[in-house]
Amino acid sequence: MTGSDFRFIVTEQLAAIGIDPGVILIEPEGRNTAPAILAAALHISQSDPEAIMLVAPSDHVVPDTEAFHAAIVKGLAAVEAGKLVTFGIKPTHAETAYGYLELATQPDVSGAAVDLKQFVEKPDAIRAAEMLAACTFMWNAGIFLFKAKDIVAAFAESAPQLTAPVTAAVDGAKIDLGFLRLDANAWAKAEDISIDYAVMERAPNLAVVPFDGGWSDLGGWDAVWRELGPDANGVVTSGDATAIECENSLLRSDSENLEIVGIGLKNVMAIAMNDAVLVADMSRAQDVKKAVEALKAKGSAQATMFPKDHRPWGWFESLVVGGRFQVKRIHVHPGAALSLQSHFHRSEHWIVVEGTARVTIDDDVRLVTENQSVYLPLGCVHRMENPGKMPMVLIEVQTGSYVGEDDIIRYEDVYSRGQGAKG
């Protein structure tokens, strides 16, 4: 399950580690975890209601893969008994940013599944310390294991209001390349609610598998700081970052050739990206969402757009944007091709800096090699392809009255995309 903006990143990353995911479901919009999990379960149930589903957020880090696999195996017996299994992370500190799971009994050395007593909301510092000492509380990782038919039945019992719209979204889904795009109109009618609130806090058949093999949800920059391993002064630097006489701080640059330097910082996180810089006290890591809300309120593109935009043929990033021009770096995978297209409001210059491009301009098709350029006048029908076995990189300079991504008409596309910025 993923959103449209991430679909090509997902396929690239899965291919890089040799996984064929089968069909990838695309959510038309984010509706939280409950509708997403139900959609996956309904889709799987169409072919195999007995199938066992492992539900795991994609942004979590589990360093010990073998230990995690062993925990999954321990949960299978409970799943076969009709249980909905969740994984509880053994706390390493009194964390206030996580919800907790209270176990009915203290887990034994076997690590077998234990019945769940109750969910506990994010605590204050005093309560978190008490739960850490009790040894019967685990962090709620939001990772689940169950049979498709069992979770569908749980939704029918605890959240019946979701069944009709999500079922309609799955039944009305359309195939789009290797993706299954859920019906947008039906999906919009599904309640925006988490799996915990919709089902798990009401279900009577929950079990917890304790896990202490290491885990982080990377839910804030403080979690990234812990995961990367602070030095003796509590400092983590990443990318082109330099710390001078700093303590308990994170300095990170995610932008090429952009050096970030901290001097005399204490309990500060400073993260530099191509389009924005965040500086905050480490204790305010969970408040980054306030920054996003503030940027949305002032209409900043940084709140909703990514500096690097992934497409099925590769990716591009905007280097400079002006009132009537834009400069991009475009990376095209070997053998890939952009759509045959035209623009109403801009002309383009392409300069190949790595590899060779096959360029179509109206009826003219030519090869453009490294250090060569070509001009595409406004309105021409054009396409670029990478005929080689190595990535092709070019610099695109756009000039015109409008340089937005939605100024595009597609005539042919090997990826079967429709019209619009991404198709």
Side-chain angles (χ1 to χ4, degrees), residues 258-270:
L258 196 161
E259 185 78 34
I260 183 169
V261 180
I263 302 175
L265 301 178
K266 289 186 179 181
N267 303 316
V268 168
M269 52 185 185

Side-chain angles (χ1 to χ4, degrees), residues 134-287:
C135 298
T136 54
F137 291 85
M138 301 276 169
W139 288 337
N140 181 6
I143 302 174
F144 304 101
L145 189 72
F146 36 63
K147 288 187 177 182
K149 68 174 186 179
D150 291 335
I151 192 63
V152 170
F155 270 98
E157 177 67 24
S158 299
Q161 76 279 7
L162 289 173
T163 301
V166 176
T167 299
V170 173
D171 291 344
K174 298 289 191 295
I175 294 175
D176 177 3
L177 301 177
F179 307 101
L180 188 64
R181 192 181 291 273
L182 300 174
D183 182 78
N185 291 331
W187 188 253
K189 297 174 184 176
E191 182 182 0
D192 185 329
I193 187 171
S194 74
I195 184 71
D196 286 355
Y197 286 132
V199 173
M200 295 303 175
E201 293 186 1
R202 306 178 188 184
N205 57 332
L206 260 70
V208 181
V209 173
F211 181 69
D212 62 357
W215 167 88
S216 174
D217 72 341
L218 298 184
W221 286 110
D222 54 339
V224 174
W225 171 78
R226 283 193 297 269
E227 187 65 27
L228 291 177
D231 64 16
N233 294 317
V235 173
V236 169
T237 57
S238 180
D240 294 329
T242 302
I244 301 172
E245 298 176 6
C246 295
E247 298 178 20
N248 300 321
S249 294
L250 169 65
L251 279 75
R252 180 184 181 94
S253 175
D254 280 348
S255 179
E256 294 179 27
N257 303 317
L258 196 161
E259 185 78 34
I260 183 169
V261 180
I263 302 175
L265 301 178
K266 289 186 179 181
N267 303 316
V268 168
M269 52 185 185
I271 297 93
M273 298 185 179
N274 282 346
D275 60 343
V277 177
L278 171 71
V279 181
D281 189 276
M282 288 284 282
S283 67
R284 303 295 296 274
Q286 298 300 316
D287 289 338

Side-chain angles (χ1 to χ4, degrees), residues 69-402:
H69 288 179
I72 293 171
V73 171
K74 291 172 183 175
L76 291 177
V79 169
E80 291 296 341
K83 296 279 190 178
L84 307 178
V85 173
T86 184
F87 292 83
I89 309 301
K90 183 178 180 180
T92 57
H93 57 279
E95 178 62 64
T96 60
Y98 301 149
Y100 284 71
L101 306 169
E102 184 178 5
L103 310 184
T105 59
Q106 190 165 328
D108 59 32
V109 294
S110 71
V114 177
D115 285 346
L116 175 69
K117 182 177 180 179
Q118 65 174 342
F119 284 82
V120 180
E121 294 295 326
K122 295 176 183 179
D124 58 26
I126 295 175
R127 180 61 176 148
E130 293 172 349
M131 290 191 290
L132 178 65
C135 298
T136 54
F137 291 85
M138 301 276 169
W139 288 337
N140 181 6
I143 302 174
F144 304 101
L145 189 72
F146 36 63
K147 288 187 177 182
K149 68 174 186 179
D150 291 335
I151 192 63
V152 170
F155 270 98
E157 177 67 24
S158 299
Q161 76 279 7
L162 289 173
T163 301
V166 176
T167 299
V170 173
D171 291 344
K174 298 289 191 295
I175 294 175
D176 177 3
L177 301 177
F179 307 101
L180 188 64
R181 192 181 291 273
L182 300 174
D183 182 78
N185 291 331
W187 188 253
K189 297 174 184 176
E191 182 182 0
D192 185 329
I193 187 171
S194 74
I195 184 71
D196 286 355
Y197 286 132
V199 173
M200 295 303 175
E201 293 186 1
R202 306 178 188 184
N205 57 332
L206 260 70
V208 181
V209 173
F211 181 69
D212 62 357
W215 167 88
S216 174
D217 72 341
L218 298 184
W221 286 110
D222 54 339
V224 174
W225 171 78
R226 283 193 297 269
E227 187 65 27
L228 291 177
D231 64 16
N233 294 317
V235 173
V236 169
T237 57
S238 180
D240 294 329
T242 302
I244 301 172
E245 298 176 6
C246 295
E247 298 178 20
N248 300 321
S249 294
L250 169 65
L251 279 75
R252 180 184 181 94
S253 175
D254 280 348
S255 179
E256 294 179 27
N257 303 317
L258 196 161
E259 185 78 34
I260 183 169
V261 180
I263 302 175
L265 301 178
K266 289 186 179 181
N267 303 316
V268 168
M269 52 185 185
I271 297 93
M273 298 185 179
N274 282 346
D275 60 343
V277 177
L278 171 71
V279 181
D281 189 276
M282 288 284 282
S283 67
R284 303 295 296 274
Q286 298 300 316
D287 289 338
V288 171
K289 59 185 178 183
K290 294 182 179 179
V292 177
E293 292 168 358
L295 291 177
K296 285 182 177 179
K298 64 186 292 188
S300 296
Q302 289 88 337
T304 55
M305 298 179 64
F306 300 105
K308 184 178 288 187
D309 198 328
H310 287 259
R311 301 295 172 93
W313 44 260
W315 53 264
F316 71 84
E317 59 181 340
S318 295
L319 304 178
V320 182
V321 181
R324 291 180 57 87
F325 73 93
Q326 180 171 203
V327 181
K328 291 181 179 178
R329 174 165 57 176
I330 300 177
H331 176 112
V332 183
H333 297 319
L338 280 69
S339 61
L340 186 67
Q341 59 186 251
S342 66
H343 310 295
F344 285 116
H345 302 288
R346 68 175 186 258
S347 59
E348 296 172 342
H349 296 261
W350 291 346
I351 305 97
V352 176
V353 294
E354 291 182 26
T356 298
R358 181 187 290 121
V359 176
T360 298
I361 305 176
D362 292 326
D363 296 326
D364 178 32
V365 180
R366 70 183 80 168
L367 292 178
V368 182
T369 59
E370 189 172 308
N371 204 33
Q372 293 183 332
S373 63
V374 63
Y375 171 66
L376 295 88
L378 185 150
C380 73
V381 177
H382 59 276
R383 170 160 49 200
M384 74 172 78
E385 305 168 68
N386 180 0
K389 298 183 181 299
M390 300 294 290
M392 184 268 289
V393 180
L394 60 79
I395 302 300
E396 177 180 88
V397 180
Q398 305 174 352
T399 57
S401 59
Y402 179 72

